[in-house]
Amino acid sequence: MSTAFTFNGFTHNANEVAFANIRREVIFSQTQRPHIMRESWSMKGRIVSQITGDCLSTLATVRAAYAKPGNYAAMTFSTGGSPFIMGNSNNNIGSGGQTIVVTSPVSHSNLTGVEGVTFLNYTFGLQCDTFLSLTTDLLSYHENLTFSDIGGGPICVYRIPVAGLPIVQSISTSSWFEATQSGSASSRDPNIRQEDMIFPDFLLREPGSATVTYSSPKMERGTPTEYGVQWTYRFRSALPLGDIRPHAKG
Protein backbone atom coordinates (compact mmCIF):
# COMPACT_ATOMS: atom_id res chain seq x y z
CA MET A 1 0.00 0.00 0.00
CA SER A 2 1.40 3.41 -0.97
CA THR A 3 0.63 6.84 0.44
CA ALA A 4 0.62 10.36 -0.99
CA PHE A 5 0.69 13.56 1.03
CA THR A 6 -1.15 16.65 -0.23
CA PHE A 7 -0.95 20.22 1.03
CA ASN A 8 -3.01 23.04 -0.41
CA GLY A 9 -3.12 21.50 -3.90
CA PHE A 10 0.50 20.31 -3.94
CA THR A 11 0.95 16.50 -3.91
CA HIS A 12 4.25 14.83 -3.08
CA ASN A 13 5.50 11.74 -4.85
CA ALA A 14 4.16 8.42 -3.53
CA ASN A 15 5.69 7.42 -0.17
CA GLU A 16 7.87 10.53 -0.10
CA VAL A 17 6.37 11.92 3.11
CA ALA A 18 5.57 10.18 6.40
CA PHE A 19 4.39 11.22 9.86
CA ALA A 20 7.09 11.78 12.46
CA ASN A 21 4.60 12.81 15.14
CA ILE A 22 0.93 13.78 15.54
CA ARG A 23 -0.08 15.83 18.58
CA ARG A 24 -3.57 16.94 19.58
CA GLU A 25 -4.11 19.39 22.42
CA VAL A 26 -7.36 20.71 23.90
CA ILE A 27 -7.17 24.37 24.94
CA PHE A 28 -9.62 25.13 27.75
CA SER A 29 -11.31 28.46 28.38
CA GLN A 30 -11.18 30.27 31.73
CA THR A 31 -14.43 28.51 32.64
CA GLN A 32 -12.69 25.18 31.89
CA ARG A 33 -14.80 24.46 28.84
CA PRO A 34 -13.08 22.78 25.87
CA HIS A 35 -12.53 25.78 23.59
CA ILE A 36 -10.02 24.94 20.84
CA MET A 37 -8.57 21.72 19.46
CA ARG A 38 -4.98 22.31 18.33
CA GLU A 39 -3.61 19.61 16.03
CA SER A 40 0.07 19.60 15.10
CA TRP A 41 1.75 17.36 12.53
CA SER A 42 5.50 16.85 12.40
CA MET A 43 6.38 15.46 8.97
CA LYS A 44 9.49 13.90 7.50
CA GLY A 45 10.25 13.52 3.81
CA ARG A 46 12.84 11.79 1.64
CA ILE A 47 13.54 12.73 -1.96
CA VAL A 48 15.19 9.99 -4.02
CA SER A 49 16.64 10.51 -7.52
CA GLN A 50 19.50 9.28 -9.68
CA ILE A 51 19.63 12.48 -11.69
CA THR A 52 22.28 14.99 -10.57
CA GLY A 53 20.69 18.16 -9.19
CA ASP A 54 17.19 16.69 -9.21
CA CYS A 55 17.01 16.40 -5.40
CA LEU A 56 17.80 20.08 -4.89
CA SER A 57 15.36 21.25 -7.56
CA THR A 58 12.63 19.06 -6.05
CA LEU A 59 13.43 20.49 -2.61
CA ALA A 60 13.04 24.01 -3.99
CA THR A 61 9.59 23.09 -5.31
CA VAL A 62 8.61 21.65 -1.93
CA ARG A 63 9.83 24.75 -0.09
CA ALA A 64 7.80 27.00 -2.40
CA ALA A 65 4.66 24.87 -1.77
CA TYR A 66 4.99 25.43 2.01
CA ALA A 67 5.94 29.10 1.82
CA LYS A 68 2.49 30.25 3.01
CA PRO A 69 -0.48 28.95 5.03
CA GLY A 70 -3.00 26.60 3.44
CA ASN A 71 -6.52 25.34 3.88
CA TYR A 72 -6.16 21.58 3.35
CA ALA A 73 -3.69 18.78 4.08
CA ALA A 74 -4.16 15.02 3.96
CA MET A 75 -2.36 11.71 3.80
CA THR A 76 -4.15 9.60 1.16
CA PHE A 77 -3.83 5.83 0.89
CA SER A 78 -3.77 3.95 -2.40
CA THR A 79 -6.66 1.85 -1.08
CA GLY A 80 -8.78 5.01 -0.98
CA GLY A 81 -9.81 7.46 1.70
CA SER A 82 -7.82 8.88 4.60
CA PRO A 83 -8.27 9.25 8.37
CA PHE A 84 -5.60 11.98 8.35
CA ILE A 85 -7.16 15.24 7.14
CA MET A 86 -6.38 18.75 8.37
CA GLY A 87 -8.34 21.90 7.57
CA ASN A 88 -11.12 22.33 5.01
CA SER A 89 -13.77 22.81 7.72
CA ASN A 90 -16.06 25.72 8.55
CA ASN A 91 -15.08 25.24 12.20
CA ASN A 92 -11.37 25.85 11.60
CA ILE A 93 -9.74 29.07 12.77
CA GLY A 94 -8.13 31.24 10.11
CA SER A 95 -8.97 34.22 7.93
CA GLY A 96 -9.34 33.99 4.18
CA GLY A 97 -9.66 30.22 4.36
CA GLN A 98 -5.99 29.87 5.42
CA THR A 99 -6.56 27.58 8.37
CA ILE A 100 -3.28 25.63 8.40
CA VAL A 101 -0.09 27.30 9.60
CA VAL A 102 3.35 26.06 8.60
CA THR A 103 4.87 26.08 12.09
CA SER A 104 8.17 24.57 10.98
CA PRO A 105 9.40 25.53 7.47
CA VAL A 106 10.83 22.90 5.18
CA SER A 107 14.34 22.15 6.46
CA HIS A 108 16.86 19.64 5.15
CA SER A 109 19.66 17.73 6.84
CA ASN A 110 23.38 18.20 6.21
CA LEU A 111 24.28 17.77 2.56
CA THR A 112 27.30 15.50 2.89
CA GLY A 113 28.43 12.59 0.75
CA VAL A 114 25.70 11.29 -1.52
CA GLU A 115 23.01 13.11 0.45
CA GLY A 116 21.72 15.86 -1.77
CA VAL A 117 22.83 13.92 -4.83
CA THR A 118 20.92 10.63 -4.81
CA PHE A 119 18.66 11.34 -1.85
CA LEU A 120 17.74 14.19 0.48
CA ASN A 121 15.92 14.16 3.84
CA TYR A 122 13.77 17.04 5.00
CA THR A 123 11.21 17.93 7.70
CA PHE A 124 8.36 20.39 8.17
CA GLY A 125 5.49 21.02 10.59
CA LEU A 126 1.82 21.99 10.23
CA GLN A 127 -0.75 23.20 12.74
CA CYS A 128 -4.52 23.69 12.61
CA ASP A 129 -6.87 25.08 15.29
CA THR A 130 -10.53 24.07 15.40
CA PHE A 131 -13.32 25.40 17.62
CA LEU A 132 -14.73 22.95 20.15
CA SER A 133 -16.80 25.55 22.00
CA LEU A 134 -20.26 26.66 20.97
CA THR A 135 -20.98 30.31 20.18
CA THR A 136 -23.19 30.51 23.28
CA ASP A 137 -20.63 29.00 25.69
CA LEU A 138 -19.29 31.37 28.31
CA LEU A 139 -15.50 31.36 27.96
CA SER A 140 -14.99 33.56 31.01
CA TYR A 141 -17.27 34.99 33.71
CA HIS A 142 -16.68 36.96 36.89
CA GLU A 143 -18.91 39.17 39.01
CA ASN A 144 -18.55 41.12 42.27
CA LEU A 145 -21.28 42.46 44.52
CA THR A 146 -19.89 45.04 46.93
CA PHE A 147 -21.89 46.49 49.84
CA SER A 148 -20.31 49.80 50.72
CA ASP A 149 -20.37 52.62 53.28
CA ILE A 150 -21.94 52.00 56.68
CA GLY A 151 -24.98 49.91 55.77
CA GLY A 152 -27.71 52.27 56.98
CA GLY A 153 -25.99 53.12 60.24
CA PRO A 154 -25.73 56.57 61.85
CA ILE A 155 -23.65 59.21 60.08
CA CYS A 156 -20.98 60.90 62.14
CA VAL A 157 -18.54 63.69 61.45
CA TYR A 158 -15.15 64.09 63.07
CA ARG A 159 -14.35 67.59 64.24
CA ILE A 160 -11.28 69.27 65.69
CA PRO A 161 -12.23 72.20 67.91
CA VAL A 162 -10.10 75.27 68.33
CA ALA A 163 -9.33 74.13 71.86
CA GLY A 164 -9.67 70.71 73.43
CA LEU A 165 -9.71 67.14 72.19
CA PRO A 166 -11.18 66.03 68.82
CA ILE A 167 -14.85 65.07 68.99
CA VAL A 168 -17.18 62.74 67.07
CA GLN A 169 -20.56 64.30 66.32
CA SER A 170 -23.61 62.29 65.19
CA ILE A 171 -25.54 64.18 62.50
CA SER A 172 -28.02 61.49 61.41
CA THR A 173 -29.54 58.40 63.01
CA SER A 174 -29.53 56.44 59.72
CA SER A 175 -28.06 56.46 56.20
CA TRP A 176 -28.42 54.81 52.80
CA PHE A 177 -27.75 51.16 52.04
CA GLU A 178 -25.47 51.10 48.99
CA ALA A 179 -24.15 48.35 46.73
CA THR A 180 -22.13 48.05 43.52
CA GLN A 181 -22.51 45.16 41.07
CA SER A 182 -19.63 44.75 38.61
CA GLY A 183 -18.38 41.97 36.40
CA SER A 184 -17.20 40.74 33.04
CA ALA A 185 -17.94 37.89 30.63
CA SER A 186 -16.75 36.64 27.25
CA SER A 187 -17.88 34.21 24.58
CA ARG A 188 -17.66 33.65 20.83
CA ASP A 189 -20.94 35.53 20.39
CA PRO A 190 -20.28 39.02 18.93
CA ASN A 191 -23.57 40.12 20.51
CA ILE A 192 -22.74 38.98 24.03
CA ARG A 193 -24.87 40.84 26.57
CA GLN A 194 -24.14 42.28 29.98
CA GLU A 195 -25.48 40.65 33.14
CA ASP A 196 -28.92 41.64 34.47
CA MET A 197 -29.13 43.96 37.47
CA ILE A 198 -29.52 42.26 40.83
CA PHE A 199 -31.42 45.23 42.33
CA PRO A 200 -33.03 46.93 39.30
CA ASP A 201 -35.58 48.84 41.41
CA PHE A 202 -32.82 50.52 43.41
CA LEU A 203 -30.51 51.68 40.63
CA LEU A 204 -28.98 55.03 41.59
CA ARG A 205 -30.50 57.50 39.14
CA GLU A 206 -27.40 59.56 38.56
CA PRO A 207 -25.11 59.82 35.49
CA GLY A 208 -22.63 56.97 35.42
CA SER A 209 -24.65 54.72 37.73
CA ALA A 210 -24.95 52.04 35.04
CA THR A 211 -22.08 51.49 32.60
CA VAL A 212 -21.55 48.77 29.99
CA THR A 213 -18.26 48.38 28.10
CA TYR A 214 -17.69 46.18 25.05
CA SER A 215 -14.10 45.27 24.28
CA SER A 216 -12.52 44.39 20.94
CA PRO A 217 -12.34 40.62 20.37
CA LYS A 218 -9.33 38.39 20.82
CA MET A 219 -8.01 37.38 17.42
CA GLU A 220 -6.37 34.19 16.12
CA ARG A 221 -4.89 34.58 12.63
CA GLY A 222 -7.50 37.13 11.62
CA THR A 223 -10.46 35.25 13.15
CA PRO A 224 -12.32 36.63 16.22
CA THR A 225 -12.25 33.95 18.91
CA GLU A 226 -13.58 35.74 22.00
CA TYR A 227 -15.78 38.81 22.53
CA GLY A 228 -15.95 40.54 25.91
CA VAL A 229 -18.33 42.77 27.88
CA GLN A 230 -18.03 44.50 31.27
CA TRP A 231 -20.72 46.05 33.45
CA THR A 232 -21.00 48.19 36.59
CA TYR A 233 -24.25 49.13 38.40
CA ARG A 234 -24.61 51.28 41.52
CA PHE A 235 -27.60 50.88 43.83
CA ARG A 236 -28.99 52.85 46.78
CA SER A 237 -31.86 52.03 49.12
CA ALA A 238 -33.34 53.35 52.37
CA LEU A 239 -33.90 49.73 53.50
CA PRO A 240 -31.50 46.74 53.52
CA LEU A 241 -30.96 45.32 50.03
CA GLY A 242 -30.99 41.74 51.24
CA ASP A 243 -28.58 38.86 51.68
CA ILE A 244 -27.91 38.21 48.00
CA ARG A 245 -24.80 36.84 46.27
CA PRO A 246 -23.38 37.52 42.78
CA HIS A 247 -24.46 35.43 39.80
CA ALA A 248 -22.62 32.15 39.35
CA LYS A 249 -22.24 31.19 35.69
CA GLY A 250 -19.84 29.40 33.42
Side-chain angles (χ1 to χ4, degrees):
M1 180 180 64
S2 63
T3 61
F5 191 77
T6 298
F7 173 74
N8 210 32
F10 173 77
T11 301
H12 295 260
N13 293 327
N15 298 324
E16 180 183 311
V17 173
F19 289 103
N21 178 266
I22 294 178
R23 184 170 184 265
R24 295 183 178 92
E25 174 189 9
V26 176
I27 299 175
F28 291 88
S29 67
Q30 183 181 326
T31 55
Q32 295 304 302
R33 292 179 179 272
H35 179 33
I36 293 173
M37 169 69 80
R38 175 161 292 168
E39 184 165 358
S40 302
W41 291 357
S42 296
M43 312 301 297
K44 57 184 179 180
R46 185 180 180 92
I47 301 170
V48 178
S49 177
Q50 298 300 320
I51 302 175
T52 303
D54 190 48
C55 289
L56 294 179
S57 62
T58 301
L59 178 66
T61 301
V62 172
R63 292 178 62 181
Y66 291 88
K68 62 181 180 180
N71 57 19
Y72 177 79
M75 181 72 81
T76 305
F77 297 93
S78 58
T79 54
S82 173
F84 302 104
I85 297 176
M86 179 182 282
N88 202 30
S89 168
N90 291 332
N91 215 31
N92 295 143
I93 299 174
S95 65
Q98 296 180 335
T99 62
I100 303 174
V101 176
V102 181
T103 54
S104 177
V106 175
S107 302
H108 58 76
S109 55
N110 293 330
L111 302 181
T112 58
V114 297
E115 186 163 2
V117 179
T118 60
F119 73 93
L120 192 152
N121 296 318
Y122 63 92
T123 61
F124 61 93
L126 304 175
Q127 180 179 291
C128 182
D129 289 346
T130 304
F131 282 123
L132 296 177
S133 59
L134 301 176
T135 304
T136 54
D137 287 343
L138 281 175
L139 302 178
S140 68
Y141 185 90
H142 180 76
E143 185 174 66
N144 291 321
L145 183 59
T146 304
F147 295 92
S148 58
D149 291 336
I150 53 179
I155 297 177
C156 297
V157 294
Y158 297 81
R159 301 186 183 279
I160 299 177
V162 174
L165 297 173
I167 60 175
V168 180
Q169 181 179 6
S170 178
I171 61 173
S172 174
T173 59
S174 61
S175 60
W176 297 105
F177 293 86
E178 297 187 359
T180 301
Q181 175 189 351
S182 61
S184 62
S186 65
S187 75
R188 288 173 51 202
D189 184 1
N191 298 313
I192 183 173
R193 303 296 298 171
Q194 68 273 19
E195 186 58 87
D196 294 334
M197 296 182 187
I198 295 178
F199 308 112
D201 294 336
F202 300 101
L203 179 66
L204 184 61
R205 302 297 175 177
E206 293 180 355
S209 298
T211 61
V212 177
T213 303
Y214 296 96
S215 56
S216 59
K218 294 181 180 179
M219 306 293 289
E220 292 282 348
R221 302 199 302 275
T223 297
T225 60
E226 188 172 351
Y227 296 86
V229 62
Q230 296 177 318
W231 58 89
T232 300
Y233 311 126
R234 295 169 54 205
F235 307 102
R236 180 175 291 172
S237 171
L239 300 174
L241 290 167
D243 188 17
I244 298 177
R245 296 293 180 265
H247 295 95
K249 295 182 178 180

